[in-house]
Amino acid sequence: MAVRLDDLCVNGYKIYQDDCGFCFGTDAVLLAWFAGNKKFTKAADLCAGNGVISVILSTHNCCKEARGYEISQGPFELSKMTAEYNKITDKVSFYLRDIRNTAIDENFPGGYFDLVTANPPYMTENSGLVSEGAKGAARTELTCTLADVVKAASVLLKNGGRFCMINKPDRLTDAICAMREKKIEPKRLMLVSPRCGKKPELFLIEGIKQGKPGLFCEPTLEIYGSDGKYTETLNKIYGLN
């Protein structure tokens, strides 16, 4: 690994990343913002990577506990280093786990969390060129599918708890079908576009376990303005104004 320590620009925290691995991007920051704009106390993050979403969620005053679950050894080790460096191990913990194993135990407590997040692999296994190692696992459904992620979320969530996920628009139907199958009712949807007039490249969705039907569509979130700079909303998300 070629490990570096980056500024997370949140609470003065820093995060360990591997130059040769998969580094977090805007999608992780957007998911943490989307999920964190409502109160919660106990959060779990699936496909946690190097732990960025759990760390950001832990900065909310309402958060009492944040756990991250990751299958790849390298990112898992980095996430533990990040928690220790920032002295947040009393609130943030990480677990090396294949989330396809949904057997309930002390490290994978069923019906325990009121928020579960996921930034899962976007591409199906037969979608084209596949990267090797941690990059491949982060980008492509080599170690878990979208359906696996939703199933794990349903096991971890208490009734009335929220599941928030980010993915590509071509997976939206898959996401909604998987959520309903596992009794997580889609309630809030936000499309993400690079700029005004461009087609969306991401979506953010929130579902409620055992929730009633009824989906609310938020205004499209635009990343860049006509000047090529972050929009006011993105600056607020990144804490730049």
Side-chain angles (χ1 to χ4, degrees):
M1 290 195 296
V3 177
R4 69 175 193 260
L5 187 62
D6 292 338
D7 189 351
L8 193 54
C9 298
V10 177
N11 264 31
Y13 289 162
K14 296 184 183 296
I15 187 166
Y16 284 98
Q17 303 207 82
D18 179 8
D19 282 336
C20 301
F22 190 86
C23 297
F24 80 90
T26 301
D27 50 356
V29 176
L30 292 179
L31 177 59
W33 163 76
F34 182 78
N37 61 13
K38 294 181 182 178
K39 288 185 177 181
F40 63 95
T41 56
K42 298 174 182 177
D45 182 44
L46 306 177
C47 309
N50 60 0
V52 59
I53 292 173
S54 296
V55 173
I56 294 177
L57 290 176
S58 75
T59 66
H60 293 257
N61 291 331
C62 59
C63 180
K64 304 301 181 184
E65 180 181 1
R67 300 190 189 190
Y69 297 95
E70 171 58 37
I71 193 171
S72 298
Q73 184 76 40
F76 165 69
E77 295 294 343
L78 293 177
S79 68
K80 290 199 304 178
M81 290 166 56
T82 292
E84 292 167 0
Y85 179 90
N86 293 298
K87 297 180 172 60
I88 52 175
T89 53
D90 59 327
K91 183 185 286 190
V92 180
S93 55
F94 296 98
Y95 300 87
L96 186 66
R97 189 181 182 102
D98 184 342
I99 61 170
R100 293 173 294 186
N101 173 15
T102 54
I104 294 171
D105 56 49
E106 63 180 354
N107 294 329
F108 200 82
Y112 181 77
F113 298 95
D114 54 3
L115 172 65
V116 174
T117 59
N119 182 10
Y122 292 159
M123 297 181 290
T124 58
E125 189 173 358
N126 60 357
S127 61
L129 183 64
V130 177
S131 300
E132 295 181 353
K135 280 189 177 182
R139 292 171 173 166
T140 310
E141 292 182 338
L142 300 177
T143 56
C144 70
T145 65
L146 192 154
D148 294 329
V149 171
V150 175
K151 179 181 178 181
S154 183
V155 171
L156 293 171
L157 278 174
K158 62 177 65 174
N159 286 344
R162 296 184 295 124
F163 171 59
C164 295
M165 178 173 63
I166 190 167
N167 214 308
K168 294 286 189 181
D170 62 355
R171 304 303 306 276
L172 180 56
T173 302
D174 295 336
I176 290 175
C177 290
M179 289 167 70
R180 275 201 155 169
E181 181 182 345
K182 296 303 178 184
K183 310 302 182 186
I184 301 175
E185 185 63 26
K187 299 294 291 183
R188 187 163 62 109
L189 174 67
M190 178 182 288
L191 300 177
V192 182
S193 173
R195 54 179 50 83
C196 181
K198 296 293 185 179
K199 66 180 182 180
E201 294 184 350
L202 295 167
F203 72 83
L204 291 152
I205 194 166
E206 176 185 273
I208 305 296
K209 185 175 179 180
Q210 298 292 352
K212 296 180 179 179
L215 178 64
F216 175 75
C217 293
E218 301 269 11
T220 298
L221 176 64
E222 295 168 359
I223 304 295
Y224 298 103
S226 57
D227 59 359
K229 299 179 180 179
Y230 276 154
T231 59
E232 182 178 350
T233 300
L234 260 290
N235 280 325
K236 288 181 179 178
I237 292 171
Y238 273 98
L240 299 175
N241 65 7

